[in-house]
Amino acid sequence: MALDALATAQGFGAFKRRTRFHGEIAEGRMGDDAVLALKPQTYMNESGRAVGAAMRFHKLAPEAVIVLHDEVDLAAGKVRAKSGGGVAGHNGLRSIRAHIGADFWRVRIGIGHPGDRDRMTGHVLSSFGTSDRAWLTPTLDAIVDAFPLIMAGDASAFMSRVALLAPPPGKEQAQAGGTQPQER
């Protein structure tokens, strides 16, 4: 969803299937930079095949790759970014690291934990509910607005801008001096 929002906001062409890259791509520009947006069409735990194929074809360094992914270990609407690092059990990131190395950028988009490990698969694979739109839409808009900062390699400024534009649920009340929940 974040990649679709970026491609739409920047006026990229439609996503087109490219078997060479095991995915769908859209091309466009962000500022002075040519950008290739890739949606792997492999199983998630094989997404490195798609990323690696596109990276090699376009002769990109791993540092030029920015991976957007959901993260159950972050609160819904919280966004974190960094270059390099571990995969924290994320099989898609593990696959990407195996194919291109660890020096790519990661933008983790919190979707929250369902609270029960047995509900994890359904939580990750299902669509967002209506109540999620309250944080999801502002978070996606903030990622689009702040994306030039992560492209410039400034993860700290990117995260600060996203947090300013779209505080995670519950934060906006605290920052605005909102009321405490009432007891029943």
Side-chain angles (χ1 to χ4, degrees):
M1 293 173 78
L3 188 60
D4 284 337
L6 278 163
T8 298
Q10 295 299 318
F12 285 19
F15 279 90
K16 296 177 181 158
R17 179 91 173 128
R18 294 289 186 257
T19 55
R20 168 186 313 181
F21 302 145
H22 313 284
E24 297 176 353
I25 64 163
E27 297 179 76
R29 298 197 69 77
M30 294 184 77
D32 293 335
D33 297 313
V35 176
L36 174 74
L38 170 68
K39 292 195 272 186
Q41 297 299 297
T42 59
Y43 288 108
M44 187 267 303
N45 61 353
E46 288 290 325
S47 52
R49 286 181 26 224
V51 175
M55 192 186 92
R56 285 185 298 279
F57 180 83
H58 288 284
K59 297 177 177 52
L60 299 172
E63 298 83 13
V65 175
I66 302 171
V67 176
L68 304 163
H69 67 90
D70 60 353
E71 178 65 62
V72 296
D73 291 331
L74 280 178
K78 194 168 205 161
V79 176
R80 291 287 176 254
K82 69 176 181 175
S83 177
V87 298
H90 193 291
N91 290 330
L93 292 178
R94 181 175 288 118
S95 175
I96 293 170
R97 185 179 66 186
H99 284 268
I100 72 168
D103 294 330
F104 59 93
W105 286 92
R106 304 126 196 263
V107 174
R108 300 167 48 212
I109 305 166
I111 61 169
H113 197 285
D116 180 5
R117 185 173 169 88
D118 293 335
R119 295 181 14 214
M120 186 68 74
T121 300
H123 178 68
V124 172
L125 297 179
S126 64
S127 297
F128 289 103
T130 304
S131 63
D132 293 318
R133 295 289 171 195
W135 65 264
L136 182 60
T137 301
T139 300
L140 294 175
D141 291 344
I143 290 168
V144 168
D145 181 276
F147 207 74
L149 296 168
I150 196 69
M151 285 182 61
D154 194 341
S156 180
F158 170 79
M159 292 184 294
S160 293
R161 180 81 179 148
V162 170
L164 176 69
L165 294 174
K171 296 280 185 186
E172 60 278 343
Q173 278 189 331
Q175 289 175 349
T179 60
Q180 296 293 322
Q182 295 180 357
E183 291 184 9
R184 292 184 183 197

